[in-house]
Amino acid sequence: MRWKSGFDPYLALIVAVAQLVIAQGATWGQRLLREQLDPYAYALLLVGPLAILFRRRFPLLTVAVALGAMDLFLIGGYAYGPAFLSPGVLLFLLVTGGRRLMAWTMATMTVTSLLSYAWWVGNRDLFHSVSILAFILLFMVVAELVRIVRERRAERERVAEEEARRQASEERLTMAQELHDVLAHNISLIHVQASTALHLIDANPEQARSALATIKTASKEVLGEMRSVLNVLRDGAPRSPTAGLDRLDDLVQRSGMEVSLRRVGSRPLPPQVERAAYRIVQESLTNAARHAPGSRVSVRLEYGAEELVIVVADTGATKPAVLSEEGSGNGIPGMRERASALGGTLVAGPSGGGFQVEARLPLPEENPT
């Protein structure tokens, strides 16, 4: 026979041993009032534990059988106590298993059978009847409390598991966005510099050499970023790739354009704000390289008490664009999504003869310590 759980046979064995041991002690303690144990009594004591073995397949029938064995044990004049264990265990398992209506119905039948037996043997003491009722009611309330605690714990675990899956999905989406930004920036830079090198390789070899060096650096950068993301996915520990403002100087140097970088103020930034700021600057430089080749670009970071202001502006193209493709047009919407996700804003549009991107990212209150 295949069991749904290995718990039931062990539980049945424990209950059987407990009932037999309790029966020996109870019989000795009540030897002047109750009958001594005989084979019939031992058989009745084993009916309840055997019923536990089949409780999953026949939940109502097994409780009824254990309750009947208890009644026959009492009617036979044997000691009080041991026969109560099996019905109690089965009622407890019914409640904790979610079969509450069935459990309370059988508990009512248990009270009825015990009170009927008491009246049958002539014990019509009201205190005795109330004690039986109170004990079984308290037992059922404890079982209900155990059920509630288990259900709440299971619900907390389910919510925690769903939250962990949601966070893992969000982190993987963040990594995908990070990887997209890295690829878009570096491949655009490689394309621009490769086109520049092709135009200048005969007329100005030194400038072409500089463009090729930029291509080498950008390709190394993108390969390193891809490798780090793939390693994170392979390790099964989703984390967002790191891209902080401490790498901004290197980003400016690799842009292949004349870029001035200015920082106004300084303060620690949350990782998500720092990453978003870096990607906004990176995407803005990519757009400038695509659409305004030869322009001068200024990057300004203003660290305020309540927000970080990022302004990236170019002076406009001074030579024809070397890219034949216009791109997918996702650069500015992507930057705006990053800012909005942090509760900030991003405005992009023509400014003078060039183009300007201004982002405002809210910052938490700075800790004085």
Side-chain angles (χ1 to χ4, degrees):
M1 181 178 294
R2 296 177 57 185
W3 302 98
K4 293 183 179 180
S5 171
F7 177 67
D8 288 348
Y10 294 106
L11 179 61
L13 178 61
I14 292 172
V15 173
V17 173
Q19 288 195 159
L20 293 176
V21 172
I22 294 173
Q24 295 292 335
T27 301
W28 184 86
Q30 304 172 37
R31 59 186 181 277
L32 300 179
L33 303 174
R34 309 296 291 176
E35 298 292 334
Q36 296 297 309
L37 294 175
D38 54 24
Y40 176 68
Y42 283 115
L44 291 176
L45 289 175
L46 293 177
V47 170
L50 289 174
I52 294 176
L53 293 174
F54 301 94
R55 69 176 185 88
R56 296 181 185 273
R57 184 174 298 179
F58 310 105
L60 181 60
L61 179 61
T62 51
V63 178
V65 168
L67 183 58
M70 179 194 73
D71 292 337
L72 292 175
F73 191 85
L74 295 177
I75 293 173
Y78 302 110
Y80 295 112
F84 302 153
L85 185 58
S86 294
V89 170
L90 288 169
L91 286 175
F92 184 87
L93 293 175
L94 278 181
V95 174
T96 56
R99 303 176 184 269
R100 301 178 59 238
L101 179 60
M102 185 184 299
W104 281 97
T105 301
M106 297 308 298
T108 303
M109 293 182 60
T110 303
V111 172
T112 303
S113 64
L114 290 176
L115 293 180
S116 300
Y117 173 77
W119 279 62
W120 180 65
V121 298
N123 187 355
R124 301 182 181 182
D125 182 15
L126 180 61
F127 179 77
H128 179 266
S129 301
V130 172
S131 299
I132 293 176
L133 178 62
F135 177 80
I136 294 180
L137 182 61
L138 178 61
F139 177 82
M140 294 299 291
V141 168
V142 171
E144 289 284 1
L145 291 176
V146 172
R147 177 190 62 81
I148 292 172
V149 170
R150 286 183 177 180
E151 289 181 354
R152 288 183 177 179
R153 182 168 55 193
E155 178 66 16
R156 286 196 300 268
E157 292 176 353
R158 184 188 65 79
V159 171
E161 185 177 352
E162 289 182 356
E163 179 66 16
R165 286 199 298 265
R166 184 189 64 81
Q167 290 182 357
S169 298
E170 290 182 353
E171 289 170 348
R172 285 187 168 89
L173 288 175
T174 300
M175 285 192 294
Q177 186 178 17
E178 294 286 303
L179 189 58
H180 169 270
D181 291 346
V182 170
L183 290 173
H185 172 75
N186 286 283
I187 292 177
S188 296
L189 180 60
I190 290 172
H191 195 169
V192 170
Q193 296 299 326
S195 300
T196 301
L198 287 175
H199 281 289
L200 301 175
I201 192 168
D202 294 325
N204 195 337
E206 288 301 321
Q207 192 172 351
R209 187 187 303 274
S210 176
L212 293 174
T214 302
I215 291 174
K216 178 181 178 181
T217 304
S219 61
K220 182 179 180 181
E221 171 76 12
V222 71
L223 288 174
E225 291 275 3
M226 290 181 63
R227 187 178 298 111
S228 65
V229 173
L230 293 176
N231 286 338
V232 168
L233 293 174
R234 188 179 298 113
D235 293 339
R239 299 186 304 273
S240 300
T242 57
L245 295 179
D246 57 334
R247 299 170 54 188
L248 203 55
D249 291 321
D250 181 59
L251 177 64
V252 167
Q253 292 177 0
R254 291 187 293 101
S255 65
M257 297 180 293
E258 183 181 345
V259 181
S260 63
L261 175 60
R262 182 186 176 192
R263 294 181 173 90
V264 180
S266 177
R267 60 165 292 184
L269 300 177
Q272 62 271 23
V273 174
E274 191 164 343
R275 184 167 59 247
Y278 179 89
R279 295 305 185 195
I280 288 172
V281 174
Q282 183 184 60
E283 184 64 29
S284 299
L285 294 179
T286 300
N287 289 342
R290 281 176 176 270
H291 308 295
S295 66
R296 295 190 303 274
V297 182
S298 63
V299 178
R300 186 173 79 253
L301 302 178
E302 297 180 6
Y303 296 79
E306 298 181 352
E307 63 180 5
L308 172 67
V309 181
I310 307 163
V311 180
V312 182
D314 63 69
T315 58
T318 60
K319 56 185 179 180
V322 295
L323 287 178
S324 59
E325 301 86 2
E326 291 298 327
S328 62
N330 292 326
I332 293 177
M335 290 189 290
R336 188 171 287 117
E337 288 176 3
R338 284 186 178 274
S340 298
L342 298 175
T345 59
L346 185 139
V347 178
S351 176
F355 196 84
Q356 177 175 297
V357 175
E358 179 178 334
R360 295 180 178 270
L361 307 179
L363 299 176
E365 184 177 352
E366 190 171 6
N367 191 338
T369 58

